[in-house]
Each structure stands twice: as C-alpha cells, then as structure tokens.
Amino acid sequence: MFGPNSQFHRFFNDPRWALAMVRATVLEAAHPQIGAALIDNSTFVAHPWRRLRNTFLSMQRMFGADDDVRQREAARLNRLHARLNGSDARNRPYDAMDPHVRAWVVATLFESAVTMCRLSGQPLEQSAMEELYAEFQAFLAVLGDQAGHLPPTLQEFWQYYDHMVQSELENTQALSIILYKLFDHLPAPPLLDGLPTVWAAGRALAGPVIGTITVASLPEPFRRRAGLPEIPGAQTLMQSVYVATGLARFLPDGWIQAESLTSLLYLSPDSDDPRAATITALRGRMKRAGALLRLVTPFPVGPDPEPGPAEGTGPRRSAEEFFDAVLDQTGNGYLDWPDLAAMARELSSRLDMDEPEETRLYHAYAEWWRELQSALDTDGDGRISKEEYAAAVPSLAGPALIRVAEVLFEVTDADGNQFIDADEYRALFRTGFRRTVAGTDERYSRSAFVKDFLSFMSGRRRSSAYDPLLAEA
C-alpha cells in the first residue's frame, strides 16, 4: 500500500499533483468544520509556503517505505489534530479528530488525484483507480480511524462523494479567502524574498490563472450552490493547463524532483548548500530585471530592499512589523492563542518532538499566552490588538517566555551536557538555517540561548536564525 511501488508514489514528483493539492485544499475548506478550523487555527494565509512545505513533508512520511516513520508521523498528526476544536461563527462545533471530517480530507486527495489524471488526458484505468483508493483507505487506517468512515468500495465512494458535494459543502469564509485573497496576495517564497517587483509581476499573471482553473475544476453542482462565477473560456484554460502540465511525463526520469524543488524554495543565499552560489547570482539578475520592470510597469511595490544589517548591529524592527511578521501567525490582525499554538506546532515539527517534550512546549506557550493576556489585553476582548501590543512591548519577556526558551534548549541539547554544540544548533534550525556556530568546539550555553530567544520573541532585535523559522511565508 505504501512505498515506491504504490500507485500514489507515481504522483509524488508529478507537477500535476501541485494542481491537485490546491484543488483538494479548496474542497476541504468548503467543509463547514474544516473551514472553521482553518479560519481559527491555520497559518495558511500568513505563511502559505510554510504550510505547503509541511504538508509535503507529512505526505512524504506517510506514504514512504519506512513503517516506523509512518507510525511516528501518524501519532504526530493525531496530537496536532486533537488540539484543534472549537465553534464557528454560527456556533457550530468543529473537531479535527472527527472521523467523518478526516475521511473527507482523504476523500478530496483521492478524488483530486483521479480528476487531475482525467483532465490531463490520462485517465486512470479501473484497476489502478481501485488500487489508489485502497491506498488512501490504508492511509486513513494508519491514523487509527475505524473502517467505514470511507465507503468500502469504489462504487460506493462516488455516491458518498456526490452526496457531500451536493449537500454538505458550503461557500465558507476559508474557501473565499483561498480563492479571492490568497492567490491575489500570495507572499513571496523565501527564495524570492527581497525581490518584490519580480514577484509582483509573476503573481499578477499567475494568481488569476490559478484561481480561475481551480474554480473551473471544481464539481459543477458545488460551483452552482456556492455561487462561484462562470468565467468565459475558463474550462478551456483549465483543460489546457492540465494537459500542458501532464506533458512532463515525457521528461527524463529525475528531472522533476518534488523534494529538490521544495528545498530550493527555502534555500538561503548564505547557506552552505552548493546551489547557494548559483541562487545568489540569479537573485542579482532578478533584481536588475525588477529595476527594469519598475521603469516600464506600474506595479504597486516599493524598491527592492538592500540587505539588512548583521544581527544585533542595526535598529530593531518596529513593533508593528514584528507583530505582523512573527506574532500574528494566523494573519487575522490579532494576537491570540491560535497564533502561539501555531508557533508551538512549527517548533515541535521542526524538532521532530515526541511526547512528552511536545506537550511541555505547548504548556509553556499556554503559560505565556495567559501572561500576555493579563499584561496586554486592556479591553478584555480575549485577544491582543497591534495597538495594545505596541503600547506594552516590554511586558512580552516574562517568566513564561523564559520557560519556552528553556524547553527548546532542553530538547535541542541532545546529549544533556547543558551546552548546544554546532551540530545540535544546526539541527534546531535545519530548515532555512542561516546562522552557524564558528568552530567545532564552540558551545552555546543555556543562558546565551535563552537571552537570544527572548531578544527575538520580545521584538528587541532581528535574528538571522529565528526569522526564517517563524517570520518567513
């Protein structure tokens, strides 16, 4: 069911899978419970590229050949989902552990995979479709859900799917944000950070196209019920994009590797990766192209920023900038518990934490949230506005935040010698890593680690290590 011989594994490096993932995400967001959970807890608006990368890594672990890795990832996903529950704007409860909700997520992935093959002129044979469906059923079983939440046979699945599309899905707020805000205002990936003109030009062309083909690929009954616009020529455009993307099957094996492309998006110019020098040269050319674009087109962006000062040598970012870039993880304009929970999720995922370390980190962040509420929530509405934060910035670095730093230190100090060496430090920031510890014998003490973490999290200064972890899109 899993590994390199599975039906799903054939799609992993297929560029059509990117289109299918976007489509599946839209269908997930149209489910009332999932849409509410996304609005309340997800970072997909403020940090879409990070969310995409995390989803890719999770799917890679779940469908890989190593069963131990798969079981560990399933346990992590279950812990994550167990923390996502609440009520939507109409006071309807949602729970990410609801087995029917989880079944719909898996159903959208399967159906979108089948649809992407059909739209690109390469429909799956019945036997291949049944094998793929069995693999997704096995995926759901690994998560621990009982059999029956997905129909047992493929024929019954299509009846279930039609019922969901015609009766259960809604034009949710999350759906509207994805289709009409995210694509139009998608932030640049880390690779293109600092090149706003170039990114604005590409987004102005690609954003509307992605939105149009996504809507056109959705089931017609749902498009009608949700009132999604019928754009003339959209079906032809959608079919053409899928067919053109499907032509990638004629490329030599190994030319398109999803893992390489994903890591490239997050490659830092000063990384020790051999590709970094090429990326640095390419960024220089793209900046020159951006300067030319500003001369001939009216894109509403400022000039490409110059490289900032080294860490600790220049002025800190403004309180408002830090609030938007780091604290407001969900992008709703406020600081509340879901923002800090998102930080805990990101850090625990990057460090590949197990119980009980993950729970200790969540508890430390929960204590910090209670401390912040007490100090900054002056109007008592249960959340902290940008204005409330800016008026009381020094209150951020309290005892609870110190506890967060100490938990991270203890998890990172793998050998328990009360120092973090270069290898341990690099493990903490292995994604988007920019800062190095000079020399193999140099060590990073607990007090120095806590001091640096508090300086960053209280907005006192920028950090070339923590910015890629929590601030990048």
Side-chain angles (χ1 to χ4, degrees):
M1 293 295 179
F2 303 104
N5 295 322
S6 65
Q7 286 290 328
F8 177 80
H9 200 271
R10 296 188 322 147
F11 299 137
F12 219 71
N13 294 315
D14 191 325
R16 296 175 302 170
W17 184 239
L19 299 172
M21 285 287 287
V22 172
R23 182 180 182 277
T25 301
V26 169
L27 288 170
E28 291 170 24
H31 190 288
Q33 285 202 56
I34 300 173
L38 287 173
I39 288 296
D40 287 351
N41 301 280
S42 180
T43 62
F44 77 98
V45 172
H47 302 279
W49 297 104
R50 193 175 75 192
R51 171 68 186 271
L52 175 65
R53 181 182 184 279
N54 290 345
T55 300
F56 170 79
L57 289 176
S58 181
M59 295 291 287
Q60 188 179 46
R61 292 167 182 166
M62 289 296 291
F63 279 93
D66 192 324
D67 190 58
D68 289 338
V69 170
R70 180 164 39 257
Q71 296 295 335
R72 202 157 180 262
E73 178 64 12
R76 186 190 72 84
L77 290 174
N78 285 335
R79 293 196 304 270
L80 184 155
H81 291 154
R83 295 185 174 100
L84 302 180
N85 52 73
S87 299
D88 66 11
R90 293 164 58 182
N91 206 31
R92 296 178 297 182
Y94 67 82
D95 184 351
M97 287 298 287
D98 185 325
H100 298 286
V101 171
R102 285 150 65 99
W104 176 245
V105 171
V106 175
T108 63
L109 292 170
F110 166 72
E111 189 275 339
S112 292
V114 172
T115 298
M116 81 174 188
C117 293
R118 175 175 56 81
L119 292 178
S120 56
Q122 305 168 56
L124 291 175
E125 296 181 356
Q126 183 69 19
S127 59
M129 199 183 306
E130 290 177 349
E131 289 177 17
L132 183 64
Y133 184 58
E135 291 168 9
F136 276 100
Q137 287 177 307
F139 169 68
L140 194 60
V142 170
L143 292 175
D145 288 359
Q146 300 278 333
H149 295 303
L150 275 180
T153 67
L154 188 57
Q155 181 179 0
E156 291 172 291
F157 170 82
W158 295 118
Q159 296 173 0
Y160 154 80
Y161 180 80
D162 289 342
H163 166 75
M164 292 292 297
V165 166
Q166 295 171 14
S167 304
E168 300 294 331
L169 302 189
E170 300 176 1
N171 190 353
T172 63
Q173 183 183 358
L175 174 69
S176 298
I177 289 175
I178 293 173
L179 291 178
Y180 303 119
K181 179 181 177 181
L182 184 60
F183 291 146
D184 289 343
H185 303 280
L186 189 68
L191 177 64
L192 298 179
D193 188 35
L195 300 170
T197 306
V198 174
W199 177 249
R203 184 179 59 195
L205 296 174
V209 172
I210 296 173
T212 299
I213 64 176
T214 300
V215 171
S217 70
L218 298 175
E220 184 179 356
F222 175 67
R223 294 204 311 269
R224 289 199 307 267
R225 286 185 60 241
L228 298 177
E230 295 284 348
I231 300 176
Q235 290 293 323
T236 301
L237 174 64
M238 176 264 296
Q239 192 87 40
S240 300
V241 170
Y242 269 93
V243 170
T245 308
L247 294 177
R249 70 187 187 277
F250 295 115
L251 293 174
D253 291 341
W255 274 38
I256 298 179
Q257 293 291 328
E259 186 172 5
S260 298
L261 292 174
T262 303
S263 64
L264 187 63
L265 283 174
Y266 279 81
L267 186 63
S268 165
D270 53 356
S271 166
D272 57 6
D273 189 298
R275 298 171 296 177
T278 303
I279 294 300
T280 300
L282 179 61
R283 285 171 65 93
R285 296 191 179 191
M286 293 174 75
K287 282 192 174 184
R288 290 194 291 272
L292 178 61
L293 280 172
R294 286 198 301 274
L295 292 175
V296 299
T297 58
F299 287 109
V301 295
D304 293 338
E306 295 297 324
E311 180 178 336
T313 62
R316 70 180 185 189
R317 54 160 62 92
S318 69
E320 291 78 7
E321 182 187 357
F322 183 75
F323 186 95
D324 291 335
V326 177
L327 296 179
D328 184 14
Q329 291 283 305
T330 59
N332 66 353
Y334 292 90
L335 171 62
D336 49 18
W337 167 241
D339 296 304
L340 300 193
M343 293 185 197
R345 283 199 304 271
E346 188 65 21
L347 289 168
S348 61
S349 296
R350 296 288 182 95
L351 289 172
D352 203 15
M353 290 183 184
D354 283 325
E355 290 282 18
E357 289 84 3
E358 181 182 294
T359 297
R360 288 170 57 207
L361 182 64
Y362 271 89
H363 285 170
Y365 266 104
E367 290 176 16
W368 189 37
W369 170 237
R370 287 190 289 269
E371 194 175 84
L372 289 175
Q373 267 192 301
S374 176
L376 305 185
D377 184 15
T378 56
D379 59 8
D381 65 350
R383 57 189 183 178
I384 298 168
S385 68
K386 190 183 302 184
E387 292 73 24
E388 289 173 327
Y389 163 74
V393 168
S395 301
L396 279 172
L401 184 57
I402 294 175
R403 183 58 191 147
V404 172
E406 288 179 337
V407 171
L408 288 177
F409 178 88
E410 290 160 8
V411 172
T412 308
D413 179 20
D415 56 14
N417 67 350
Q418 296 302 303
F419 288 92
I420 296 176
D421 61 28
D423 289 339
E424 290 170 335
Y425 194 82
R426 183 174 289 274
L428 177 60
F429 300 110
R430 64 182 179 272
T431 301
F433 181 74
R434 297 187 179 188
R435 177 177 173 183
T436 59
V437 179
T440 57
D441 297 327
E442 185 168 335
R443 300 184 300 178
Y444 198 31
S445 69
R446 176 188 289 264
S447 60
F449 180 92
V450 171
K451 179 182 177 181
D452 278 0
F453 186 78
L454 262 61
S455 294
F456 173 73
M457 286 306 303
S458 61
R460 293 174 186 163
R461 65 174 182 176
R462 296 176 183 272
S463 167
S464 57
Y466 290 99
D467 273 353
L469 192 65
L470 293 175
E472 287 184 345

